[in-house]
Amino acid sequence: MKAARMAATTPRLTRAPMRNTTVSTALFERAQSLFPGGVNSPVRAFKAVGGTPIFIARGQGARVWDADGNSYLDFLGSWGPLILGHAHPDVVAAVQAAARDGTSFGASTEREVLLGEAIRAAVPSMERMRFVSSGTEATMSALRVARGFTGRHRFIKVEGGYHGHADTLLAASGSGVATLGLPDSAGVTPGAVADTIVVPFNDEAAMQAAFEANQVAAVIIEPIPGNMGLVPPRPGYLPALRRLCDAYCALLIFDEVISGFRVSRGGAQALFGVRPDLTCLGKVVGGGLPLGVFGGQGDIMSAVAPEGPVYQAGTLSGNPLAMAAGLAVLRKLDQAAYDRLDALGQRLEAGIKEALATTSVPAQFHRVGSVFTLFFCAESVTDFTSAKRADVGRYARFFHAMLDRGIYLPPAQLEAGFVSLAHTEDDIDAFVAASREALVASR
Ligand SMILES: *Cc1c(COP(=O)(O)O)cnc(C)c1O
């Protein structure tokens, strides 16, 4: 019965229509002479999936158009920031209005106060904060604050946890690095990571052992890791981290650069009911403009210059355009918005699971709200070691089969996809229909 219904509604396409890539290919040629790998951030180069990266000409809502005029339903969303989709009219208007008043002053403006207050109201653990221009700066600075505040040097991160590209944090750091097959980065000295302790994710005993063997300033962790693919924490894992940090007088830093304002208005800390000492935000909070934030308990943040001894600064920090975009996005993110995102996520999950069942492809589908990863492996994925067992060759074939069917996914297996408020039920159904074919085509 089910097969008959599907046959009636699904076109029996075995081959996707040819996609013209002439302009993208020519641009990529020129880009390669300018930029290492032809890109300004490594995963954009399609190294993990092969082929020529697309050059995007514009985006509107849930859709992007490449330089050759091909259009795609976008399930990457600029790697997470675009929770409202591309070029949302409110965001565009807010940025235009801010730009008319001047793009940067290197002095304080009202919008910083407004966005700061909006963030604190949504994420109460961020009693005080500082704006920076990227997630990398947020995590790097939060870590410096934790070390300055506690007077300790060592910190713990988990294997496959990505916290931007600061030297001290580039150890066993997931997706981009793992995708390139580099155990670490060249140019990061042993000294820079000498105080970086790496333990497996979701392993409370390993975390406890690391605390017992070291003087620990902080644990820095994505509460819902999204850079080894999406791998949710086991029940009880995050509360255990909170207890360990309290017992050893260390700070708990949640890197919510992906999960902040994405999985709920209060981020993963609201979802799991665990209050970190410091939080790092980026991506969604900047509405597609360069913005990061770190903040936390008031007395800890008092350690930051000029109030305290921990130096931290930025010429473009609190940038008016980024503040305006952030404010415009946060205004849209009420409970109804998260309910909507979850409903779309559920629809996608149900559809893809049915497609997996009918095609008998061994895979694990993970989802938290509007964030998802499809791992091509038969065993469950709970940490970086199990995530790395996923079949990257099959993912690469799936990725291209989807791209040829007009669906733009993360160009690497160990990354997360994103649904936005601009997606419709029809867009989700188009994703599912394309997956049904792509799962077969990528076998
Ligand atoms: C993207 C990301 C960062 C780095 O943010 P950038 O803005 O790229 O510097 C840090 N932590 C997590 C969890 C991220 O996903």
Side-chain angles (χ1 to χ4, degrees):
M1 287 298 258
K2 193 185 276 176
R5 180 167 56 81
M6 272 179 44
T9 55
T10 311
R12 276 263 164 260
L13 248 187
T14 45
R15 239 163 27 108
M18 285 294 283
R19 198 161 45 89
N20 188 358
T21 58
T22 317
V23 181
S24 281
T25 304
L27 283 171
F28 190 51
E29 286 286 309
R30 286 161 64 192
Q32 277 174 303
S33 84
L34 289 166
F35 315 120
V39 292
N40 288 298
S41 194
V43 202
R44 295 178 194 171
F46 279 26
K47 287 271 188 256
V49 291
T52 305
I54 56 174
F55 272 72
I56 296 182
R58 68 190 178 91
Q60 184 63 60
R63 210 162 259 287
V64 290
W65 284 262
D66 71 15
D68 290 281
N70 304 299
S71 99
Y72 309 86
L73 275 173
D74 182 8
F75 288 87
L76 180 60
S78 186
W79 301 88
L82 300 183
I83 200 162
L84 302 184
H86 294 274
H88 188 284
D90 291 7
V91 177
V92 173
V95 170
Q96 282 174 337
R100 270 195 296 274
D101 290 339
T103 56
S104 181
F105 307 106
S108 298
T109 63
E110 184 185 19
R111 286 191 185 90
E112 291 158 66
V113 177
L114 297 177
L115 185 58
E117 286 171 348
I119 291 170
R120 182 170 58 191
V123 189
S125 74
M126 298 179 77
E127 295 168 0
R128 305 182 78 203
M129 68 197 77
R130 178 156 285 171
F131 289 119
V132 291
S133 298
S134 66
T136 292
E137 284 176 87
T139 55
M140 179 184 80
S141 307
L143 194 58
R144 187 181 301 147
V145 171
R147 287 167 150 175
F149 181 78
T150 61
R152 299 176 186 173
H153 300 170
R154 303 221 149 151
F155 72 92
I156 304 173
K157 73 179 285 294
V158 302
E159 226 183 322
Y162 179 67
H163 308 289
H165 64 90
D167 281 10
T168 48
L169 287 156
L170 273 185
S173 49
S175 59
V177 184
T179 294
L180 293 174
L182 303 175
D184 255 321
S185 169
V188 174
T189 62
V193 290
D195 291 316
T196 306
I197 302 152
V198 182
V199 300
F201 177 61
N202 263 336
D203 186 339
E204 206 181 304
M207 189 65 81
Q208 169 133 20
F211 269 103
E212 281 164 9
N214 298 281
Q215 284 278 310
V216 175
V219 171
I220 183 165
I221 189 165
E222 298 167 74
I224 308 172
N227 288 287
M228 48 175 127
L230 182 76
V231 184
R234 285 206 178 99
Y237 180 67
L238 297 177
L241 299 189
R242 180 67 275 176
R243 280 196 304 277
L244 281 169
C245 286
D246 288 343
Y248 289 90
C249 299
L251 302 189
L252 181 58
I253 307 174
F254 275 179
D255 178 351
E256 297 224 47
V257 170
I258 288 181
S259 56
F261 290 104
R262 170 55 78 171
V263 298
S264 82
R265 190 159 168 98
Q269 53 195 273
L271 216 57
F272 290 98
V274 174
R275 188 181 172 104
D277 301 297
L278 292 171
T279 298
C280 304
L281 300 175
K283 299 198 169 117
V284 171
V285 78
L289 272 84
L291 176 60
V293 198
F294 67 98
Q297 203 172 290
D299 59 330
I300 300 172
M301 288 303 289
S302 293
V304 178
E307 263 176 50
V310 177
Y311 189 70
Q312 196 287 324
T315 301
L316 294 175
S317 294
N319 177 261
L321 304 194
M323 297 295 108
L327 277 165
V329 169
L330 263 48
R331 267 188 211 115
K332 293 280 171 200
L333 297 178
D334 54 9
Q335 190 51 46
Y338 291 102
D339 291 346
R340 165 89 185 142
L341 286 166
D342 195 50
L344 290 169
Q346 269 179 36
R347 190 180 184 97
L348 189 146
E349 176 168 359
I352 194 91
K353 282 185 169 167
E354 193 196 356
L356 288 168
T358 54
T359 54
S360 302
V361 171
Q364 310 293 322
F365 185 80
H366 287 187
R367 177 181 74 88
V368 177
S370 55
V371 193
F372 66 91
T373 298
L374 177 62
F375 292 97
F376 285 109
C377 58
E379 314 79 28
S380 64
V381 174
T382 57
D383 57 15
F384 195 39
T385 303
S386 46
K388 281 192 294 189
R389 287 195 198 112
D391 183 344
V392 294
R394 181 171 229 160
Y395 184 84
R397 295 192 297 277
F398 178 72
F399 168 86
H400 280 291
M402 291 293 272
L403 199 64
D404 288 342
R405 287 165 177 79
I407 307 283
Y408 185 47
L409 285 171
Q413 164 73 91
L414 300 185
E415 300 287 355
F418 297 91
V419 174
S420 79
L421 288 163
H423 286 95
T424 62
E425 277 80 2
D426 284 352
D427 294 336
I428 302 296
D429 296 348
F431 177 101
V432 171
S435 311
R436 235 180 256 133
E437 296 181 359
L439 285 170
V440 174
S442 58
R443 247 204 270 264

